[in-house]
Amino acid sequence: FEWKGRERIIMDIKAVLTALAAIALFLLIRIRDRKKYGSQEGHIAIETNRSGIDAALSLLNETFHCPFPHYQIPDEIHMILRREPRSEYGLQLFLQSIAQHCDYHRHQLELHIYNQEEGAAPGRISYRGGNRYVIELHMAADCRRETIMAVLIHEFCHFYLDQHGIGYEVTRENEILTDVSSVYFGFGNFMRAGYRPSVETGSGNNHLYWVGYICVSEIDYAEAVCEKMAEDNL
């Protein structure tokens, strides 16, 4: 019994050290990306920092003039997704609900849900011709509900921005703009919950998993700026 107890303590220490190493790697990647994706001639560069978020929000405000109110998910949709996070029926209703929040009725937009593919992005949107757009979610069976919802919101915002002719030519800058727009459109609480990093265990190894192009603190900052914008419009 004493040896088993020591062995369990050693395993716990290893798990903690692995999680700390994963967090350190996450921070190093973010520092590297901030250095790597700087200004590019001919484009407005959006770095993942306050000045970049300010620029994105200013661009959005030129078209929409005031941040949207906070989105409230209907109770029946929330209950479905709490029971079954990958429920196709529940996610179809959720997409319909977030579209209605933005005063869009989704007649051009389809949603398809697939199992996770190695190396594939968790979400993507494509144009299929005839004013038909398709959002694809590629999610693991054990993916957190909050992450699935945040990815779906991100992909919808891609579509919604495109419909209004808003975007950057540089892919990463456009992805960051899309994340910032999700806060501007009132989905900040859902993005914060979905983009929160989590330590996951697979094949006996712990690893840090996250999605998104801005972090939780940057979502908080964007939301604070949006609240100030809304107050200024009163």
Side-chain angles (χ1 to χ4, degrees):
F1 176 82
E2 182 180 355
W3 171 248
K4 288 183 178 179
R6 290 179 181 176
E7 188 178 50
R8 178 61 183 273
I9 291 172
I10 292 172
M11 291 177 63
D12 289 344
I13 291 173
K14 286 182 177 179
V16 171
L17 291 175
T18 301
L20 291 174
I23 293 171
L25 177 61
F26 169 73
L27 294 174
L28 287 172
I29 289 172
R30 293 197 63 81
I31 293 170
R32 180 203 65 188
D33 285 350
R34 290 187 182 190
K35 292 180 179 178
K36 181 177 178 182
Y37 297 99
S39 297
Q40 300 186 35
E41 187 176 355
H43 302 290
I44 300 175
I46 297 294
E47 295 179 42
T48 314
N49 54 32
R50 291 191 173 189
S51 61
I53 291 171
D54 287 341
L57 291 173
S58 178
L59 178 63
L60 292 165
N61 220 39
E62 289 176 9
T63 298
F64 300 103
H65 309 298
C66 184
F68 292 20
H70 291 294
Y71 168 73
Q72 299 291 331
I73 184 171
D75 289 341
E76 59 271 23
I77 299 176
H78 194 208
M79 289 178 62
I80 293 170
L81 294 177
R82 285 184 65 184
R83 290 194 303 266
E84 187 182 349
R86 279 184 26 138
S87 164
E88 183 167 355
Y89 175 65
L91 290 172
Q92 295 283 0
L93 291 177
F94 182 59
L95 176 57
Q96 181 68 33
S97 177
I98 63 178
Q100 288 177 346
H101 174 76
C102 295
D103 198 27
Y104 180 77
H105 298 288
R106 207 198 132 179
H107 59 279
Q108 295 175 272
L109 196 57
E110 299 177 16
L111 171 63
H112 298 167
I113 302 166
Y114 303 97
N115 292 326
Q116 186 179 39
E117 295 181 4
E118 186 175 353
R124 57 187 176 222
I125 184 168
S126 57
Y127 175 64
R128 300 295 176 86
N131 290 327
R132 175 172 166 257
Y133 294 80
V134 174
I135 291 176
E136 295 181 8
L137 297 184
H138 295 262
M139 295 291 180
D142 59 349
C143 188
R144 292 191 304 126
R145 175 184 74 252
E146 294 86 355
T147 298
I148 296 173
M149 296 167 76
V151 170
L152 182 50
I153 289 170
H154 175 93
E155 297 306 326
F156 170 77
C157 288
H158 262 309
F159 169 80
Y160 194 62
L161 291 175
D162 183 72
Q163 294 295 295
H164 287 83
I166 302 173
Y168 293 108
E169 294 181 25
V170 181
T171 300
R172 179 175 174 80
E173 278 78 345
N174 201 55
E175 295 290 354
I176 294 170
L177 171 64
T178 303
D179 271 351
V180 173
S181 76
S182 69
V183 179
Y184 186 92
F185 296 144
F187 303 111
N189 289 340
F190 292 84
M191 304 309 288
R192 184 183 297 105
Y195 280 14
R196 174 175 51 83
S198 60
V199 176
E200 297 187 353
T201 302
S203 303
N205 296 316
N206 293 336
H207 65 280
L208 192 67
Y209 177 80
W210 72 93
V211 297
Y213 293 84
I214 62 177
C215 66
V216 171
S217 63
E218 291 159 343
I219 291 172
D220 291 341
Y221 174 74
E223 198 151 46
V225 175
C226 286
E227 289 175 0
K228 180 65 167 57
M229 285 179 166
E231 289 175 1
D232 292 342
N233 276 278
L234 292 178

